[in-house]
Amino acid sequence: MTALVGDLWFYVLLVLAGFLPNEIWRWLGLVASRGIDEDSEILVWVRAVATAILAAVIAKLTIFAPGSLATIPLWLRLLGVAAGFAGFLAIRRSIFAGVVIAEIVLIGGALLIGL
Amino acid sequence: MSSETASIRPPAQAFAAGLRAAAFSVFAYVLFGTYIGIGALAHDFGFGLDWMLLSTVLVWAGPAQVILISALGAGAAPFEAAIAVGLSGVRLLPMVVSLLPIIRTPTTRMTELMLPTHLTAVSMWVESMRLVPQLPREERIPFCNGLGAGYLTSALIASAAGFYLAAKLPVLLTAGLLFLTPVSFLVSSARNARELVDMLALALGLLIGPALAYAQVELDIMWTGIVGGTVAYAVHRFRRRKA
């Protein structure tokens, strides 16, 4: 793989397999947003769809974890997310508190079980 | 000049205000950690630093970059990688659709919306939806551009740092960095969910998403959004009619 670094092919792949399939959704959003009023009722539904999709991404990243995160057992990842959410609710809805507590539980837990 | 127009800051100042908001937001630091993890991942799979930086500028979506790097790095077919990236990017469509009507003015041209459209990512969307309604309408586009540019800068610096540190980072630390994405997405969308409809959409998505993925339903993320979002919206409508 290292021999291929700098290979033009990987830049072509970046555009074809990374940039275009991702950016197309932004462009479609730009087109679809034309003529939609800020107070229009459809925006409430669109925001709900965006939030539900985001929730699905969160769940998938936790359950089907990428890269080195997969070395941490599933139960510990779920415990970390739950602890982070509880911490966020308990400490004046602070994103920072939620993230720090989730990380402490994940990494602390991994150290405790000898990973 | 009326007092109303006098209170509107010129675009450069509104852009700078967006940059400042980015620097003081927890997302700049969460993104920094996240992109150290992604930079290290790119290094481990044998990509070059310039490729990694370009992917951050062009793709500008953490989960899509993780999928792209892991799939291409593991030798998956480019078509498979493109499909996986495309499925993860669906969330950007409703985000752009809900953001643009809030930031544009009646005279805004389509070309002026290209930059905020590209800069839309979970971090920028969540913070824009929270901060922008308090600003005069004319300041909103440059503010969003500043916010997105600030986050992108943080991610680019971290991409490079992660790339160079990769060999020195213990596995447990990179695992912790990759864990930043789901955790920060969850608590930030929970913080923005002030109305019942948003809270329901979040809860339904967390339940339906894994269920559909487990059942190996195709396009599980898109279906989760449509079903979860629509049910949440239906409940919202039903409750309002009763009230």
Side-chain angles (χ1 to χ4, degrees), chain B residues 17-227:
Chain B
L19 278 180
R20 265 198 309 280
F24 287 108
S25 137
V26 64
F27 282 108
Y29 307 97
V30 166
L31 280 167
F32 197 86
T34 302
Y35 274 86
I36 285 186
I38 301 178
L41 193 69
H43 176 274
D44 289 347
F45 274 114
F47 291 95
L49 176 62
D50 42 3
W51 188 95
M52 173 60 209
L53 294 177
L54 192 63
S55 92
T56 300
V57 171
L58 288 181
V59 181
W60 186 227
Q65 286 172 262
V66 170
I67 291 168
L68 182 69
I69 292 164
S70 326
L72 293 182
F79 183 70
E80 269 177 67
I83 294 287
V85 167
L87 292 176
S88 83
V90 180
R91 69 179 185 285
L92 299 168
L93 167 71
M95 286 179 185
V96 170
V97 173
S98 53
L99 178 64
L100 296 188
I102 299 176
I103 64 172
R104 71 177 173 219
T105 71
T107 57
T108 301
R109 286 186 311 270
M110 193 86 159
T111 48
E112 294 172 73
L113 293 172
M114 298 287 279
L115 190 56
T117 295
H118 178 68
L119 290 173
T120 299
V122 173
S123 50
M124 183 273 210
W125 182 71
V126 165
E127 281 301 80
S128 296
M129 297 296 279
R130 188 172 71 93
L131 298 173
V132 138
Q134 300 147 30
L135 297 175
R137 190 163 280 273
E138 289 75 7
E139 289 184 12
R140 294 179 182 181
I141 291 177
F143 180 87
C144 284
N145 288 340
L147 190 67
Y151 288 151
L152 185 57
T153 305
S154 171
L156 284 173
I157 296 170
S159 298
F163 191 88
Y164 283 118
L165 290 173
K168 300 190 188 76
L169 294 176
V171 173
L172 200 50
L173 181 62
T174 56
L177 294 173
L178 289 170
F179 195 52
L180 282 170
T181 304
V183 169
S184 64
F185 281 10
L186 177 66
V187 290
S188 59
S189 48
R191 188 193 54 178
N192 270 29
R194 266 172 253 108
E195 287 181 51
L196 176 78
V197 54
D198 302 305
M199 285 183 242
L200 264 180
L202 183 63
L204 286 169
L206 288 173
L207 292 174
I208 300 171
L212 294 190
Y214 187 75
Q216 299 190 324
V217 173
E218 283 185 53
L219 308 175
D220 54 327
I221 293 205
M222 191 194 79
W223 285 118
T224 302
I226 292 174
V227 174

